[in-house]
Amino acid sequence: MSSISNRDRQLKLSYQQKLPNQMVTALVVLDSQLTIKYVNPAAEALLVKSFNKLYDLPITTVFYNSPIKKERLEQLLTSGQEFSDSDVTIEFFDHSRITVEITASSVEFSKQPHIILEFKQIDQQKQMSIEAFQHQQWESSRDLIRGLAHEIKNPLGGLRGAAQLLSKELTQEQQEYTEMIIEQADRLTNLVDKLLGPNQLPQMAKQNIHIVLEKVFKLINFNNPKNIKFIRDYDPSIPEISFDQDKLQQAVLNIVNNAVQIIDEGCKITLKTRAASNKTINGRRVKLCVQISIIDNGPGIPKKIQDTLFYPMVSARDNGTGLGLSISQTLVQQHKGKLSCYSRPGHTEFLILLPLQEENNNEC
Ligand SMILES: Nc1ncnc2c1ncn2[C@@H]1O[C@H](COP(=O)(O)OP(=O)(O)OP(=O)(O)O)[C@@H](O)[C@H]1O
Ligand SMILES: [Mg+2]
């Protein structure tokens, strides 16, 4: 009898000791001062630091942009009410990011209140389906606007033509009115053309990606009244890639122009390139990519437009038509690429991914 209970006891101890080590969920235990007292191997991997290095660190210092506010954890300690947040983006000090689900619960160890944080990394499949959904939404809003723009364009041409004919019948004084009709019709045609978006297929040629960034840099730096500091951080080893120079230049220019319009005097814009492997682009696995980042240290994208940022006619700027980013997205997609954005106050990063090599080893 006693040997069975001994075995049970050993088994229990073994479960207690080994289970956290085998879990895929990252576990972090905090004491009441919110400092780290325990991490399992999955948490060491997630936080890219060993238990020894993490031990006794305040949890808020582990992340560049802490995903959980100190006040919420303090509240958990007093109320004991656990919470869960899904789709949380964690940013580390090297600016790499992961998306996780976080659950926080309270527990007592040695009669002292503690917090258990569980981090579950959102798997690639889920990330791909989120991206595919966003892509679908973007496509349908773009198609809707295009359809509408198309319907407006035809009668607008008729209206302008009729005003032109009518003006021939009128005195010079009366022509003032038809001129106004023509002027406003031209203004609308301009807008409608922008709404219709790029209508020519890209002229692809294999070349160095930095040509595009250097052109944009020169164009903007030529007239730089805000004295913005430009940092060019290029990876010269990136191989040549097929793209349409004008189109990609327009895509990058729209993004840089936005930053220039929004940031204050003396702020900085970084143009960065890197090669990146194993990425997903709108649901496709891509083995090798060119990654172009346009980063500014301005105020950040207003929260209320972040989810619909690339949709046409979304703007938070006085006199903005909200078409620049939608056009950039179309131009990047014409290159089978992806444009995304991550923003918080003080750091806005637009990321263009262009495929160099698909998963099945085909060169793009
Ligand atoms: N780097 C940035 N920092 C902060 N907000 C930004 C940044 N880039 C874009 N935005 C926000 O995104 C909105 C949409 O940009 P978008 O280029 O599509 O339209 P717009 O600049 O308003 O008008 P348009 O480009 O058509 O003249 C902007 O109005 C601005 O509020
Ligand atoms: Mg713009």
Side-chain angles (χ1 to χ4, degrees):
M1 185 75 185
S2 81
S3 76
I4 293 172
S5 68
N6 258 345
R7 232 187 71 203
D8 273 356
R9 209 173 303 124
Q10 270 181 0
L11 207 59
K12 199 174 152 198
L13 204 67
S14 171
Y15 286 146
Q16 279 173 337
Q17 286 172 344
K18 287 190 182 158
L19 265 182
N21 294 346
Q22 301 302 320
M23 284 173 75
V24 225
T25 304
L27 292 181
V28 178
V29 177
L30 310 176
D31 66 6
S32 55
Q33 305 303 307
L34 306 184
T35 57
I36 296 174
K37 289 293 162 192
Y38 171 76
V39 292
N40 71 346
E44 285 181 300
L46 184 101
L47 303 173
V48 209
K49 271 201 182 108
S50 66
F51 183 15
N52 282 345
K53 287 215 166 117
L54 288 165
Y55 187 77
D56 252 356
L57 279 185
I59 184 72
T60 44
T61 62
V62 174
F63 310 109
Y64 180 72
N65 187 17
S66 184
I68 326 159
K69 296 282 160 267
K70 204 171 153 218
E71 298 72 40
R72 277 184 91 189
L73 294 174
E74 284 167 350
Q75 202 183 352
L76 169 64
L77 281 170
T78 48
S79 71
Q81 201 166 9
E82 71 173 55
F83 62 84
S84 279
D85 289 341
S86 52
D87 288 355
V88 180
T89 303
I90 294 182
E91 188 176 2
F92 296 102
F93 282 91
D94 63 355
H95 295 300
S96 60
R97 286 182 292 273
I98 50 166
T99 310
V100 291
E101 282 173 12
I102 301 178
T103 304
S105 49
S106 65
V107 67
E108 268 196 9
F109 287 117
S110 310
K111 297 200 177 137
Q112 296 297 317
H114 285 72
I115 291 174
I116 300 182
L117 294 176
E118 295 169 51
F119 296 85
K120 228 180 272 168
Q121 200 161 351
I122 292 185
D123 61 272
Q124 228 157 32
Q125 208 55 41
K126 191 161 176 192
Q127 188 65 28
M128 275 160 84
S129 75
I130 292 172
E131 272 180 18
F133 175 73
Q134 282 174 343
H135 183 65
Q136 231 174 33
Q137 294 277 309
W138 172 78
E139 265 185 344
S140 39
S141 74
R142 185 202 56 185
D143 291 348
L144 185 79
I145 299 267
R146 270 193 191 159
L148 213 67
H150 197 260
E151 287 306 303
I152 295 171
K153 196 165 173 170
N154 286 340
L156 207 57
L159 204 76
R160 190 186 193 281
Q164 257 175 335
L165 283 177
L166 185 65
S167 82
K168 287 185 187 151
E169 312 288 321
L170 302 177
T171 63
Q172 204 153 14
E173 223 167 79
Q174 290 167 324
Q175 278 178 0
E176 207 183 302
Y177 299 108
T178 47
E179 266 163 29
M180 188 178 297
I181 297 173
I182 292 168
E183 201 184 288
Q184 293 303 315
D186 284 346
R187 209 171 70 85
L188 262 178
T189 309
N190 232 328
L191 175 69
V192 162
D193 281 340
K194 268 175 106 184
L195 286 173
L196 283 168
N199 59 357
Q200 276 160 356
L201 286 174
Q203 306 290 312
M204 302 295 229
K206 211 162 188 179
Q207 51 206 317
N208 189 317
I209 195 71
H210 299 115
I211 297 174
V212 169
L213 298 177
E214 280 300 283
K215 281 218 168 154
V216 171
F217 162 70
K218 279 187 190 134
L219 258 169
I220 302 276
N221 207 33
F222 183 66
N223 178 20
N224 184 5
K226 284 189 183 170
N227 206 14
I228 290 163
K229 194 173 167 212
F230 283 92
I231 298 163
R232 284 123 85 211
D233 175 6
Y234 299 158
D235 174 354
S237 69
I238 292 176
E240 289 196 331
I241 174 172
S242 280
F243 62 89
D244 180 317
Q245 205 186 111
D246 286 344
K247 284 183 184 284
L248 223 47
Q249 188 179 314
Q250 189 58 52
V252 176
L253 195 61
N254 289 352
I255 298 168
V256 176
N257 262 336
N258 281 341
V260 169
Q261 279 157 359
I262 284 154
I263 64 181
D264 289 330
E265 223 159 284
C267 281
K268 62 178 187 208
I269 295 176
T270 307
L271 303 174
K272 183 169 140 188
T273 58
R274 291 290 181 270
S277 51
N278 298 325
K279 297 274 176 190
T280 52
I281 296 186
N282 305 324
R284 274 178 6 255
R285 290 289 298 154
V286 176
K287 208 169 176 196
L288 195 62
C289 287
V290 173
Q291 196 170 285
I292 305 171
S293 308
I294 299 120
I295 307 160
D296 71 69
N297 60 348
I301 312 255
K303 261 237 145 30
K304 63 173 192 259
I305 62 165
Q306 279 194 10
D307 288 342
T308 50
L309 188 64
F310 296 106
Y311 292 13
M313 312 208 76
V314 169
S315 175
R317 197 163 59 79
D318 287 347
N319 305 320
T321 49
L323 291 174
L325 290 177
S326 166
I327 291 171
S328 292
Q329 183 68 275
T330 306
L331 292 168
V332 171
Q333 304 237 349
Q334 283 186 339
H335 289 79
K336 293 188 184 170
K338 179 172 88 172
L339 170 62
S340 58
C341 173
Y342 170 77
S343 179
R344 58 176 166 75
H347 183 95
T348 296
E349 182 169 350
F350 283 88
L351 184 72
I352 299 174
L353 282 180
L354 298 172
L356 258 172
Q357 204 179 20
E358 299 275 3
E359 185 81 303
N360 54 12
N361 284 353
N362 287 341
E363 265 202 28
C364 299

